[in-house]
Amino acid sequence: MTIVVLVKYVPDAQFDRHLDGARHTIDRAESILSELDEYPLEAALQLAEARGGASAGNRIIAVTMGPESASAAVKKALQIGAYEGVHLSDPALAGSDVAGTSKALAALIDSLGPVDLVLTGMASTDGETSLVPAQLAARLGFGQATFAAALELDGDLAVVRRDGDAFSEVIEVQLPAVISVTDQINDPRYPNFKGIMAAKKRKIEVLTLAGIGLDPATVGASGAQAVVARSQPVPARGAGVLITDSGDAGIALVDFLADQKLL
Amino acid sequence: MRNIVVFIDQPGSALGKAGKELLTFARGLGAPVAAVAGELSEAVRAELGEYGVAQVLNSNQAELFEYSIVPKAEFLAVAAQRVDAQLVLTGNSAEHKEIAARLAVLLDAGVISDAVGVVADADAGIQVEKLVLAGSYTVSASVRSAIGIVALKANGVEPEAAGSSSAAAVETVEVPFSELALRARIASRQARPASGRPELSEARIVVAGGRGVDGDFGPVEELADLLGAAVGASRAATDAGWIDHSAQVGQTGKTVSPQLYISVGISGAIQQKAGMQTSKFIVAVNQDAESPVFEIADLGIVGDLFTVLPQAIEEIKRRRA
Ligand SMILES: Cc1cc2nc3c(=O)[nH]c(=O)nc-3n(C[C@H](O)[C@H](O)[C@H](O)COP(=O)(O)OP(=O)(O)OC[C@H]3O[C@@H](n4cnc5c(N)ncnc54)[C@H](O)[C@@H]3O)c2cc1C
C-alpha cells in the first residue's frame, strides 16, 4: 500500500517564537520536524512493516511544502524510517492560508499516483489549527477520520478510535482516506545509526507548482481567503509573588482567592 | 442587517452555555439565524427566541449522527445559502473546527478558528481576534470571501438574552447528502462517564494536578469541588492513568483560559504552559523552587502539595462556616 505522511518544518517551541511584524508570518529560524508529525510517521511504519515493508512493495512517502529549509523535515522523516521523500517548494506558496495549503497538498498528492492513506499529525505546532486534514480530505475526495487515538486496517476499511469530550467513538472509513493521529496513538521511534545511513542514500524529490499543475494565483498570499491585518506580541507574563511554605502557605493561597473574589 | 448563521449541535433539552455565547456574539454582528442539527424541543426553541433568534433552520436527518462530520458541514452549507449568510459561527471543539473547515471548502470561503472575539467594523468588515503561538501574539484577521466561517472559543463573552423575545419561526431543511459525506460511518459511540464538574474548557476555575500528586488526585478534586472548579491534569498524570485523558491541559490536550488556574505538582513544561498561560490568574504549588511554572505564576508556593492543599481546604471550609 502507499501511505503519504505529511511532515512540517516548524519553529522549535523550546525557543521564543516570533511573527514577522510587517507580513505577520512566522519567523522560521530554529525550526525542527513538528513533534506531532512523529506519530503519523510511526503509525505508517507500523502499518507498512506489518505488510512486509518496502520489499513487499509498500511505500511510505514523507511529504512537505515550504521554503528550501523545509526539506530538513523530510530528511528527518527519512532518518526515522520513511522510504521516500517529496518537497513542494515554490516562492508562490509563501503566505498560504489553510485553503491554499490544502489545495497545494491535494494537488501534490494527486500527482503521486494512487495513494491509499494520508496520515497527518493532529495539528501543526506552529499554526495549530487542525483544519488542514479536513480540507485536504475534501479536496482529494477521500474519506476523513481525525484525531485517531487508535488505528487499524481491516481490508480497505480504516477503523479509528477517536476520544471526544463527551463520547469515545469508533469510526469506519473506506480507503483512500485522510487520517490525523494524536500523540496517544503510539510511541514514536528515534532515528538510529542504520536509519541515518540509509537516509543518506535516499533522494528528496523537489517539485514546483508548475510540476504539479497548480495555478500559483490559487495559493500563497494571492490566493489566501483569510488574511491577517494586524499582529501584536502579548506582553510576557511575569512571575508574581513566590513564597516558601513555612506552615501557613495554605492560608496564603486562600487569602489570594479571597483577594481576587474567587471564593 | 446581514444574517449570521449560528451552529447549534444537538441541543437536547436546553441550550448550553456555548450556544448562548455564540448567539450573544451573533446579535452584535447582525441577525442571528440558528442552524440546529438534531431534535428541536419546544424549550430550546423558546430559548433561541430569548437570545434574539427569529429564524431557525432545523435538520434531524439520521445521516447527521450516523456519519462523521461531513454531513453536518453539508447541512450548514445549505443553511448558510438558504439565508444568504455573511458569517457562520461554530464552537471551537475539535469536531466543530473540522466542520468549519469542510464548510469553508463547500462555500469556497475563508475560515478562522480559535477566535476569541469578532467585531463588525464599518470600513474593514468583520474582524476576528485570535491568539497564536501558544498565546504569545494576538492577531486580527478577516476573510476576503463573501462569507466567512469563524470557530469561536468558549468564554469570550458573557451570554446575555436579548431584551425582547420573539417566537422563532422554524423551517425544516432536507439536506441532499453527497456520497462523500457518507464515507466515514460512526460504528459505535460510548458516552464518557460524566464527572458532574464544570466542563474543562468552559470552567471559571481549574485545579490541575501533575506527576507530583503521585497517583492521588484526592486533594486536587476536593479543592476543585469546594471552588466549583473543573479538574485538569498534565500529560504525565494522564499517561500514568491516574485520570482520564480528557482532563489533559496543554498543547495536545485542552487549552483553557479560566479566571484562575491552580497548578499542583506540575513542573510547567512548555507543552503544559501552552494550554494554560492565558489564564487570568495562575497559582502554582510545587516542591521545587526552580520549576518553570513559577516563571508565570501570580502566586507561587514552594511546598508539599499534600500539606498545602489540605490546609487550604480546611481554611476555605472554616471561612464559609
Ligand atoms: C508532542 C508533545 C506533546 C505534549 N503535550 C502535553 C500536553 O498537552 N500537556 C502536558 O501537560 N504535557 C504535554 N507534554 C509533556 C510535557 O513535556 C511534560 O512532560 C509534562 O507536562 C510533565 O508533566 P508534570 O509537570 O506533571 O510532570 P513533571 O515534569 O515530572 O513534574 C512534576 C512536578 O511535581 C513536583 N512535585 C512532586 N512531588 C510534589 C509534591 N509532593 N508537592 C508539590 N510538588 C511536587 C515536582 O517538583 C515536579 O516539578 C507533551 C510532550 C510532547 C513531546
Side-chain angles (χ1 to χ4, degrees), chain B residues 89-115:
Chain B
L89 296 180
T90 72
N92 198 61
S93 65
E95 184 171 356
H96 286 177
K97 284 204 282 190
E98 288 175 88
I99 291 168
R102 299 286 302 223
L103 175 64
V105 175
L106 290 167
L107 297 176
D108 195 18
V111 54
I112 298 169
S113 59
D114 303 311

Side-chain angles (χ1 to χ4, degrees), chain A residues 11 13-15 17-20 24 26 35-36 39 97-99 102-103 122 124-139 141-147 162-174 176 180 182-184 187 220-235 237-258 260-263, chain B residues 68-70 93-95 97-98 100-102 104-105 108-114 127 129-145 180 183-193 199 201 204-205 223 227 235 238-239 245-246 248 251-254 259-260 262 270-271 274 276-283 285 289 294-304 307-309 311-313 315-316 319-320:
Chain A
Q14 302 293 341
F15 301 108
R17 296 178 295 172
H18 298 282
L19 289 183
D20 173 318
H24 315 298
I26 295 172
E35 278 177 319
L36 296 178
Y39 299 89
D97 65 347
V98 172
S102 59
K103 274 180 202 165
M122 60 187 281
S124 66
T125 58
D126 52 356
E128 277 182 327
T129 69
S130 302
L131 301 174
V132 168
Q135 291 213 336
L136 181 60
R139 296 187 201 283
F142 283 17
Q144 158 190 346
T146 46
F147 295 92
R162 160 177 164 120
D163 298 326
D165 283 344
F167 297 96
S168 177
E169 54 189 23
V170 174
I171 297 173
E172 291 176 353
V173 58
Q174 210 72 45
S180 74
T182 72
D183 59 342
Q184 301 293 302
D187 290 312
S222 60
Q225 282 166 322
V227 287
V228 173
R230 278 180 287 119
S231 64
Q232 215 173 8
V234 175
R237 205 181 173 115
V241 182
L242 187 67
I243 60 171
T244 300
D245 185 24
S246 52
D248 56 2
I251 314 283
L253 200 165
V254 179
D255 284 340
F256 181 87
L257 299 183
Q260 306 303 341
K261 307 212 168 16
L262 290 163
L263 272 188
Chain B
S68 183
I69 288 161
V70 190
S93 65
E95 184 171 356
K97 284 204 282 190
E98 288 175 88
R102 299 286 302 223
V105 175
D108 195 18
V111 54
I112 298 169
S113 59
D114 303 311
Q127 297 291 313
E129 304 292 327
K130 65 180 282 187
L131 291 163
V132 298
L133 295 179
S136 58
Y137 281 80
T138 50
V139 302
S140 174
S142 60
V143 298
R144 285 179 178 159
S145 44
L180 192 54
R183 288 272 178 88
R185 196 176 70 87
I186 299 174
S188 70
R189 209 160 203 240
Q190 219 177 0
R192 315 191 106 193
E199 215 282 304
S201 48
R204 213 167 72 90
I205 302 178
L223 179 61
L227 298 172
R235 180 167 159 190
T238 59
D239 278 358
H245 173 62
S246 60
Q248 184 179 313
Q251 186 190 11
T252 55
K254 293 212 173 75
Q259 282 287 110
L260 172 67
I262 305 181
I270 186 95
Q271 295 94 346
M276 48 67 88
Q277 64 191 0
T278 58
S279 303
K280 180 131 192 278
F281 294 108
I282 296 172
V283 172
V285 181
F294 288 132
E295 293 162 11
I296 60 167
D298 298 283
L299 173 65
I301 296 174
V302 182
D304 185 342
T307 57
V308 176
L309 258 55
Q311 186 182 46
I313 288 162
E315 178 66 10
I316 294 170
R319 290 194 196 183
R320 283 186 181 162

Side-chain angles (χ1 to χ4, degrees), chain B residues 211 234-235 248-252 265 267 271-272 286 304-305:
Chain B
R211 200 193 306 272
S234 73
R235 180 167 159 190
Q248 184 179 313
V249 172
Q251 186 190 11
T252 55
S267 59
Q271 295 94 346
Q272 156 72 206
N286 194 306
D304 185 342
L305 72 94

Side-chain angles (χ1 to χ4, degrees), chain A residues 29-191:
Chain A
E30 297 176 307
S31 290
I32 52 167
L33 167 67
S34 174
E35 278 177 319
L36 296 178
D37 294 342
E38 295 175 17
Y39 299 89
L41 183 56
E42 178 63 33
L45 288 164
Q46 289 180 12
L47 287 173
E49 282 161 6
R51 284 160 183 74
S55 52
N58 295 292
R59 299 175 71 192
I60 299 176
I61 313 172
V63 160
T64 199
M65 66 177 255
E68 234 168 85
S69 57
S71 65
V74 179
K75 193 169 160 203
K76 177 82 185 283
L78 291 172
Q79 290 175 343
I80 294 172
Y83 307 163
E84 301 167 49
V86 176
H87 176 193
L88 176 66
S89 181
D90 197 302
L93 288 168
S96 289
D97 65 347
V98 172
T101 303
S102 59
K103 274 180 202 165
L105 289 170
L108 173 67
I109 291 165
D110 269 334
S111 79
L112 298 175
V115 165
D116 300 295
L117 196 54
V118 178
L119 294 177
T120 82
M122 60 187 281
S124 66
T125 58
D126 52 356
E128 277 182 327
T129 69
S130 302
L131 301 174
V132 168
Q135 291 213 336
L136 181 60
R139 296 187 201 283
L140 287 168
F142 283 17
Q144 158 190 346
T146 46
F147 295 92
L151 163 65
E152 278 169 38
L153 292 186
D154 177 2
D156 61 352
L157 209 61
V159 183
V160 160
R161 194 190 82 235
R162 160 177 164 120
D163 298 326
D165 283 344
F167 297 96
S168 177
E169 54 189 23
V170 174
I171 297 173
E172 291 176 353
V173 58
Q174 210 72 45
L175 300 186
V178 176
I179 294 176
S180 74
V181 309
T182 72
D183 59 342
Q184 301 293 302
I185 195 168
N186 55 39
D187 290 312
R189 67 191 73 179
Y190 296 105

